[in-house]
């Protein structure tokens, strides 16, 4: 082997003019600062290699301080430009621990360094075949003969440089073989990798997509200990597969189908939960008190709703922020006439899918709050009546307070177990605190109308119970949030717990200052009932400024309408492309699904079936009288019960539509969303005005315990039946 004279000042690197048979990583110089045409190889035999430039006027001390291993000579290369490190990493797999050596590239001192055309600002891992650019003049290819998988996969940049034709070719520089299909150039999008560095991807044919999506839904069992975000994880991989492989028409269909299926599942699960708590009417036609579910009965019914709330949050974020990054690469494959129409239709489908997912999140959130607050309501009075003091004066948690804490504990366990986004979990807790404050405050105001209820001893007892509740909330890290929502209740309890002698000496102005959280009408009500049967002290008379407000009885009770708004999160999601997935069970689910796909029987594509039919008829596929199947769109397979069972909103009537902005298949899916009325802004939604919205009105999020939720669902289902009948009749 002929060895060239090296420019390097270190024994770590050696230059060769041909590919040598060694077992060390090396860098192949593809473009340099000089005009030499032959390839140069820099061998990396050490653990650290520094690329840099030698300055002409460096003294001995500077040369030692700026020691580099590979000398470059371009003017835009810094004295120490970048660093290459070899580090050992231990990975845990099912078969045990495996040692793997990683090669890391790090820019130094803000030097311009690119990997595969993208500028770097932090240390990244190198893979065999990566192109490394240093400044404007130097371009290297990294090769690692020690890598097991380096020769079996083509570098990501090959599909961007090879011509868009159906052919097999090999890279002259790295020797990797790759099949390039027309219109299949993939973008360098971030992806997920398992603990061994293998990229997570899902492979299936278009004709298998419906079966794959159904299998994902069938895999979900909220009662088991599997990964709770597996549906979103696998559906995102389906979306990526469709975006990279299939036509935009099918991509739009997949987005609408996913949103529709999730919406229908939450609807069915809500009906099941409502059926657990039936409502009976009394003889006079007035609704009786509902039998409240215990937490053991309620939690299994809430699990599916919380599961799909968590998964919808992750899917919504992906469609909103990641899907737009998957689409621009297709623009080169479309002519100008189709580009605007296709991209507009795709954006519309994304917006429709996001609207449905937003409504699913709102609906499942509202239902969770509805049932949790209903279960908690009967226990709230215990905080006013329970005695927290023992005979020897020690504090203890009364049973009635334990019932409130049990609901809070189970709610937190549910949100944590199903990996609900932290922001949404925090807001759900805020709703519960809001409900506790408003409900207890109103009960306290109503009971105060009974003579003798307001007294110092009762105030001390309620204050102790409230302190026990706040101590528990403080221990779980939500003390500040609870204090914000308990201001009104805490102020009223503090007023009752104030010694009578102190109250008698206080003036209206001082009481308004000390208990500022109370409205004038609320303070006046408590002071008036505190001295029931006796004239109020003259100092308690409202001031002229507050006189009109103090007698406004409508202000005494707190309203449930001014609850905090539900704000969707914008960051810190569990499933973000490029972010490491630390849950191996997700990849186990992916492996199971891929095995399921491998066991599916071969399904002939529409093109194959059409071709066979034409051949059997003796018709040429090239005949101008034959319509190409590529321009035909198959409608979803109708359900056998579509005609007989009109009670199910999951099966809309199948109608052949003409081609417009959406294909007929997409139109059917969009119509299904309209019928469920999860959004009111879809084109052509005017004729669906007879439907009720599936999601509850936000102003009714927190409802009294006797609200006939089951009746509302029954009415909604009846409206849906009538709507389907009218639509079917019209079709």
């Amino acid at each position: 082997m002929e060895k060239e004279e090296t420019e390097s000042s270190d024994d770590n690197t050696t230059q060769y003019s041909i590919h040598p048979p060694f077992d060390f990583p090396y860098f192949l110089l593809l473009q340099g600062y000089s005009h030499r045409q032959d390839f140069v190889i820099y061998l990396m035999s050490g653990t650290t290699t520094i690329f840099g430039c030698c300055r002409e006027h460096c003294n001995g001390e500077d040369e030692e301080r700026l020691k580099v291993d590979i000398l470059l000579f371009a003017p835009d290369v810094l004295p120490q430009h970048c660093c290459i490190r070899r580090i050992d990493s231990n990975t845990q797999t099912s078969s045990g621990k495996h040692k793997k050596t990683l090669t890391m590239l790090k820019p130094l001192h803000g030097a311009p360094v690119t990997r595969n055309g993208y500028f770097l600002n932090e240390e990244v891992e190198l893979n065999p075949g990566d192109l490394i650019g240093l400044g404007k003049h130097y371009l290297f290819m990294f090769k690692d003969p020690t890598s097991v998988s380096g020769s079996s996969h083509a570098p990501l940049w090959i599909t961007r440089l090879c011509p868009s034709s159906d052919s097999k070719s090999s890279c002259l520089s790295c020797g990797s073989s790759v099949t390039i299909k027309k219109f299949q150039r993939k973008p360098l999008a971030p992806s997920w990798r398992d603990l061994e560095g293998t990229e997570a991807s899902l492979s299936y044919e278009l004709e298998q997509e419906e079966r794959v999506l159904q299998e994902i839904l069938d895999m979900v069992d909220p009662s088991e200990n599997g990964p709770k975000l597996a549906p979103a994880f696998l559906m995102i991989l389906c979306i990526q597969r469709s975006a990279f492989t299939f036509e935009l028409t099918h991509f739009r269909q997949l987005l609408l189908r996913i949103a529709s299926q999730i919406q229908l599942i939450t609807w069915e699960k809500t009906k099941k939960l409502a059926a657990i708590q039936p409502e009976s009417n009394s003889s006079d036609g007035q609704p009786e008190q509902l039998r409240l579910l215990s937490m053991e009965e309620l939690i299994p019914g809430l699990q599916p709703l919380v599961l799909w709330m968590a998964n919808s949050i992750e899917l919504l974020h992906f469609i909103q922020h990641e899907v737009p990054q998957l689409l621009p690469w297709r623009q080169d494959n479309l002519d100008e006439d189709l580009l605007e129409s296709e991209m507009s239709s795709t954006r519309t489908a994304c917006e429709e899918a996001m609207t449905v997912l937003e409504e699913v999140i709102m609906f499942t959130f509202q239902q969770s709050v509805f049932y949790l607050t209903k279960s908690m309501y009967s226990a709230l009075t215990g905080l006013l009546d329970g005695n927290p003091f023992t005979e020897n004066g020690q504090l203890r948690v009364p049973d009635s307070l334990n019932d409130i804490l049990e609901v809070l504990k189970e709610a937190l366990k549910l949100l944590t177990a199903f990996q609900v986004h932290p922001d949404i979990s925090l807001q759900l807790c805020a709703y519960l605190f809001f409900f506790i404050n408003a409900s207890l405050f109103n009960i306290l105001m109503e009971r105060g109308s009974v003579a003798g209820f307001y007294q110092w001893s009762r105030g001390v007892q309620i204050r102790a119970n409230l302190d026990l509740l706040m101590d528990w909330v403080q221990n779980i890290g939500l003390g500040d949030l609870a204090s914000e929502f308990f201001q009104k209740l805490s102020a009223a309890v503090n007023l009752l717990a104030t010694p009578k002698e102190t109250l008698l000496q206080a003036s209206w102005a001082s009481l308004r200052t000390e208990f500022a959280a109370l409205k004038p009408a609320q303070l006046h009500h408590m002071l008036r009932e505190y001295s029931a049967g006796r004239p109020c002290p003259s100092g308690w008379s409202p001031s002229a400024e507050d006189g009109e407000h103090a007698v406004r009885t409508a202000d005494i009770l707190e309203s449930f309408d001014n609850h905090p708004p539900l704000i969707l999160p914008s960051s810190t999601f569990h499933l973000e492309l490029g972010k490491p997935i630390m849950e191996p069970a997700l990849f186990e689910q992916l492996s199971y699904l891929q095995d399921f796909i491998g066991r599916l029987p071969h399904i002939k594509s529409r093109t194959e079936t059409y071709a066979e039919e034409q051949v059997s008829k003796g018709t040429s596929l090239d005949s101008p009288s034959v319509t190409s199947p590529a321009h035909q769109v198959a409608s979803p397979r109708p359900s056998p019960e579509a005609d007989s069972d009109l009670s199910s909103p999951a099966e809309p009537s199948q109608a052949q539509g003409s081609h417009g902005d959406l294909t007929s298949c997409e139109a059917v899916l969009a119509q299904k969303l309209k019928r469920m009325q999860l959004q009111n802004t879809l084109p052509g939604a005017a004729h669906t005005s007879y439907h009720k919205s599936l999601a509850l009105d936000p102003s009714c999020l927190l409802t009294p315990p006797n609200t006939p939720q089951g009746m509302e669902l029954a009415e909604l289902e009846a409206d849906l039946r009538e709507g389907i009948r009218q639509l079917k009749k019209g079709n």
Side-chain angles (χ1 to χ4, degrees):
M1 180 185 304
E2 182 179 353
K3 179 177 177 181
E4 290 191 351
E5 184 176 353
T6 179
E7 296 176 336
S8 174
S9 62
D10 193 274
D11 293 336
N12 281 358
T13 60
T14 307
Q15 298 180 18
Y16 293 88
S17 58
I18 60 175
H19 291 261
F22 43 68
D23 293 326
F24 297 103
Y26 61 91
F27 298 90
L28 178 63
L29 178 64
L30 303 181
Q31 175 182 310
Y33 186 58
S34 66
H35 295 288
R36 297 177 59 179
Q37 300 299 318
D38 56 336
F39 289 124
V40 178
I41 292 176
Y42 294 90
L43 177 64
M44 180 180 178
S45 58
T47 58
T48 303
T49 300
I50 302 294
F51 286 73
C53 182
C54 179
R55 300 306 188 197
E56 296 180 358
H57 303 292
C58 290
N59 55 36
E61 181 180 351
D62 290 336
E63 288 183 359
E64 182 66 24
R65 180 170 57 85
L66 299 176
K67 182 179 179 181
V68 295
D69 302 304
I70 297 179
L71 287 174
L72 307 176
F73 298 93
D76 58 348
V77 175
L78 300 185
Q80 284 188 324
H81 201 88
C82 68
C83 173
I84 309 292
R85 298 191 303 138
R86 296 277 287 176
I87 60 175
D88 294 330
S89 173
N90 293 323
T91 59
Q92 182 70 37
T93 64
S94 57
S95 59
K97 287 187 176 181
H98 294 274
K99 185 176 181 180
K100 180 181 178 182
T101 302
L102 305 178
T103 303
M104 310 299 294
L105 167 63
K106 181 180 181 180
L108 300 176
H109 313 296
V113 179
T114 63
R115 182 188 64 169
N116 298 326
Y118 294 91
F119 280 97
L120 304 178
N121 52 22
E122 59 183 8
E123 190 173 45
V124 297
E125 179 185 354
L126 289 180
N127 296 307
D130 281 350
L131 298 180
I132 304 167
L134 305 183
K136 298 179 180 179
H137 303 279
Y138 283 95
L139 181 65
F140 298 88
M141 176 183 287
F142 172 68
K143 296 296 292 181
D144 186 1
T146 66
S147 175
V148 177
S149 61
S151 60
S152 60
H153 298 286
L156 294 175
W157 50 266
I158 281 186
T159 54
R160 303 178 64 198
L161 302 181
C162 292
S164 57
S165 60
D166 293 337
S167 63
K168 279 191 174 182
S169 61
S170 60
C171 178
L172 298 178
S173 299
C174 68
S176 301
S177 177
V178 60
T179 300
I180 306 297
K181 292 185 178 181
K182 194 172 184 180
F183 304 135
Q184 294 297 318
R185 294 180 294 161
K186 297 184 180 181
L188 295 177
S191 60
W192 288 312
R193 297 181 182 274
D194 61 17
L195 297 179
E196 296 180 353
T198 305
E199 183 176 338
S201 62
L202 192 61
S203 179
Y204 61 85
E205 299 302 323
L206 177 61
E207 288 72 22
Q208 298 172 323
E209 189 171 73
E210 187 175 349
R211 291 287 304 276
V212 172
L213 184 58
Q214 187 59 50
E215 181 64 19
I216 293 174
L217 299 176
D218 292 341
M219 291 166 61
V220 177
D221 190 346
S223 62
E224 294 185 353
N225 294 325
K228 305 307 181 185
L229 296 179
F233 177 72
L234 297 175
M235 288 177 179
I236 287 173
L237 293 179
C238 289
I239 294 173
Q240 286 183 299
R241 170 70 174 174
S242 182
F244 291 156
T245 310
F246 307 137
E247 297 294 333
L248 284 177
T249 297
H250 304 300
F251 176 71
R252 296 193 293 268
Q253 292 172 6
L254 176 62
L255 289 178
L256 293 173
R257 184 180 292 114
I258 286 176
S260 174
Q261 289 294 330
I262 292 176
Q263 175 266 311
L264 292 173
I265 288 176
T266 56
W267 160 250
E268 293 297 331
K269 298 302 181 182
T270 303
K271 288 200 298 183
K272 290 183 179 180
L273 180 57
I276 298 176
Q277 186 170 274
E279 180 184 356
S280 60
N281 292 334
S282 59
S283 59
D284 58 358
Q286 297 298 322
E288 294 180 350
Q289 175 75 24
L290 288 174
R291 181 183 68 84
L292 298 181
L293 297 176
S294 65
M295 295 309 295
E296 291 77 10
E297 297 172 303
L298 178 60
I299 293 302
L302 286 179
Q303 284 177 346
L305 300 184
V306 176
L307 180 140
W308 286 111
M309 176 168 60
N311 282 270
S312 297
I313 292 170
E314 303 295 330
L315 278 168
L316 175 63
H317 167 73
F318 178 81
I319 295 175
Q320 184 175 9
H321 295 280
E322 301 295 346
V323 165
Q325 307 304 319
L326 305 179
L327 299 179
W329 71 278
R330 288 179 173 269
Q331 296 181 8
D332 296 335
N333 302 329
L334 299 173
D335 57 55
E336 294 183 1
D337 295 334
L338 287 177
L339 177 59
E340 183 177 355
S341 175
E342 286 287 329
M343 298 307 293
S344 176
S345 296
T346 303
R347 284 192 295 269
T348 300
C350 289
E351 291 170 359
E352 291 176 355
M354 287 190 295
T355 301
V356 173
L357 291 175
E358 287 176 359
E359 294 289 351
V360 168
I361 295 168
M362 171 68 78
F363 179 65
T364 51
F365 185 94
Q366 291 172 339
Q367 291 294 301
S368 300
V369 171
F370 177 84
Y371 283 102
L372 288 172
T373 53
K374 180 174 289 188
S375 295
M376 185 188 296
Y377 187 82
S378 61
L380 290 179
T381 56
L383 193 143
L384 303 180
D385 301 328
N387 185 6
F389 300 105
T390 61
E391 294 180 356
N392 56 4
Q394 299 296 320
L395 278 178
R396 64 175 179 84
V397 179
D399 294 339
S400 54
L401 181 56
N402 262 330
D403 293 338
I404 300 175
L405 296 180
E406 182 187 8
V407 176
L408 295 175
K409 290 176 184 177
E410 292 298 328
L412 288 173
K413 284 172 56 179
L414 191 65
L415 296 170
T416 302
F418 284 84
Q419 296 179 273
V420 177
H421 193 283
D423 289 357
I424 298 296
S425 298
L426 200 64
Q427 291 183 72
L428 195 144
C429 291
Y431 272 82
L432 296 181
F433 294 150
F434 173 86
F435 177 81
I436 292 173
N437 174 80
S439 299
L440 280 176
F441 183 84
N442 289 346
I443 295 173
L444 190 62
M445 294 295 102
E446 292 171 351
R447 287 195 176 185
S449 300
V450 179
F453 183 82
Y454 287 156
Q455 49 184 296
W456 173 81
S457 60
R458 190 178 301 276
V460 172
Q461 177 176 298
I462 299 175
R463 180 72 262 175
N465 282 331
L466 190 58
D467 288 343
L468 290 173
L469 174 62
M470 288 299 300
D471 288 343
W472 182 86
V473 173
Q474 189 73 42
N475 290 335
I476 63 173
L478 299 178
D480 293 341
L481 182 66
S483 298
E484 175 185 350
F485 286 98
F486 286 167
Q487 289 182 8
K488 184 81 65 173
L489 177 63
S490 184
V493 173
N494 287 342
L495 176 62
L496 290 183
T498 302
K500 187 175 182 178
E501 294 77 9
T502 304
L503 276 182
L504 291 175
Q505 298 175 7
S507 64
W508 173 266
S510 63
L511 293 174
R512 283 282 289 136
T513 302
E514 185 175 356
F515 306 106
L518 298 176
K519 298 177 183 177
Q522 294 166 344
L523 177 61
H524 180 61
H525 170 77
M526 294 192 70
L527 294 177
R528 184 179 67 249
E529 299 299 335
Y530 191 89
S531 59
R534 300 183 302 273
C536 292
S538 58
W540 290 1
S541 299
S543 63
E545 181 182 359
D546 295 331
E548 182 179 350
H549 299 284
V551 296
R552 188 178 299 169
T553 56
D555 290 346
I556 295 178
L557 298 182
E558 282 296 294
S559 171
F560 287 94
D561 293 338
N562 52 353
H563 53 72
L566 176 58
I567 302 174
L568 295 178
S570 59
S571 61
T572 321
F573 294 87
H574 295 285
L575 300 178
E576 293 188 73
L577 288 184
K579 183 178 179 181
I581 300 293
M582 307 306 295
E583 194 171 2
L586 287 174
F587 295 98
E588 294 174 4
Q589 295 286 78
L590 172 59
S591 178
Y592 168 83
L593 182 61
Q594 194 66 67
D595 291 342
F596 168 81
I597 296 172
R599 296 192 302 270
L600 289 176
H602 174 70
I603 304 175
K604 293 181 180 180
S605 66
R606 290 189 294 273
T607 303
E608 293 173 333
T609 304
Y610 181 82
E612 291 180 1
E613 292 176 353
Q614 297 304 319
V615 170
S616 65
K617 297 176 181 178
T619 305
S620 171
L621 289 177
D622 297 328
S623 173
S625 62
V626 178
T627 304
S628 171
H631 298 287
Q632 296 177 346
V633 179
S635 298
R637 183 175 62 251
S639 169
E641 297 83 8
D643 294 331
S644 59
D645 184 10
L646 294 178
S647 63
S648 174
E651 298 294 343
S653 58
Q654 305 297 319
Q656 286 287 359
S658 59
H659 291 281
D661 290 341
L662 297 176
T663 64
S664 60
C665 183
E666 292 169 324
V668 169
L669 290 170
Q671 186 62 34
K672 181 190 293 185
L673 305 184
K674 294 175 189 176
R675 289 173 181 168
M676 293 310 297
Q677 199 60 26
L678 277 177
Q679 53 182 320
N680 298 318
T681 58
L682 284 176
H687 61 280
T688 62
S689 58
Y690 44 76
H691 291 307
K692 285 187 178 180
S693 175
L694 178 59
L696 298 178
D697 188 282
S699 64
C700 303
L701 217 168
L702 298 168
T703 56
N706 291 327
T707 299
Q709 181 74 355
M711 291 182 63
E712 290 182 355
L713 292 175
E715 293 172 3
L716 174 56
E717 184 172 4
D719 288 345
L720 288 167
R721 292 188 189 184
E722 179 62 25
I724 293 174
R725 287 193 185 96
Q726 293 187 25
L727 283 174
K728 197 160 188 177
K729 182 179 179 181
N731 290 335

